[in-house]
Amino acid sequence: MTRFYVLINSTGIEEVAATELPQIPEIQKLVGIPGEEAFFEAVYHCYSDLSLAVLCDDEFLLKAHQPTMLTPKRVILQGQVLVVASDPQIADFCLLTQQQVELVKRETKLYQANLR
């Protein structure tokens, strides 16, 4: 069974097929600004599937990232973000199923300057 993670940025929503979740240094590169150190934080309960987690740069406001997405709970996240699942059995993140990817695509609203 193919598994995925989802990248969301100003150009859209991209599903990435993967055999394993990116390691911490790769996640930091994906959510950060090139050339700047980045740490990430998880934002939970953004989607109707409560096992989904959004990973984003924990200093996106300080680094003046551009707004990227509006979560279904009306939280604005900035910069490139990753959407993964959390697995309570292993107390860690894991890849998404195709059904979870479709839910992310359906429920994510890309941020637009005129959004209210």
Side-chain angles (χ1 to χ4, degrees):
M1 174 171 41
T2 304
R3 296 288 187 149
F4 307 87
Y5 61 90
V6 174
L7 287 173
I8 303 172
N9 58 35
S10 60
T11 63
I13 300 170
E14 176 187 358
E15 68 183 74
V16 179
T19 56
E20 63 183 32
L21 200 63
Q23 298 297 308
I24 290 173
E26 181 64 20
I27 294 172
Q28 290 171 321
K29 286 179 187 172
L30 289 169
V31 301
I33 295 172
E36 287 190 33
E37 185 174 51
F39 295 98
F40 65 91
E41 68 176 312
V43 180
Y44 296 98
H45 303 169
C46 293
Y47 293 96
S48 60
D49 178 341
L50 299 181
S51 72
L52 298 180
V54 180
L55 307 180
C56 60
D57 186 331
D58 69 349
E59 294 184 331
F60 64 76
L61 292 175
L62 296 174
K63 294 179 180 177
H65 285 293
Q66 293 300 309
T68 302
M69 66 179 281
L70 180 68
T71 71
K73 302 266 184 183
R74 311 240 0 119
V75 174
I76 296 173
L77 296 177
Q78 295 174 239
Q80 180 159 273
V81 300
L82 277 81
V83 181
V84 296
S86 59
D87 184 342
Q89 292 182 330
I90 60 171
D92 204 355
F93 300 118
C94 60
L95 294 170
L96 305 171
T97 65
Q98 184 66 54
Q99 292 80 10
Q100 288 171 316
V101 169
E102 296 308 317
L103 182 139
V104 168
K105 288 179 177 179
R106 194 170 50 251
E107 293 186 7
T108 298
K109 302 283 186 261
L110 294 177
Y111 185 87
Q112 297 170 359
N114 61 357
L115 191 61
R116 300 213 191 287

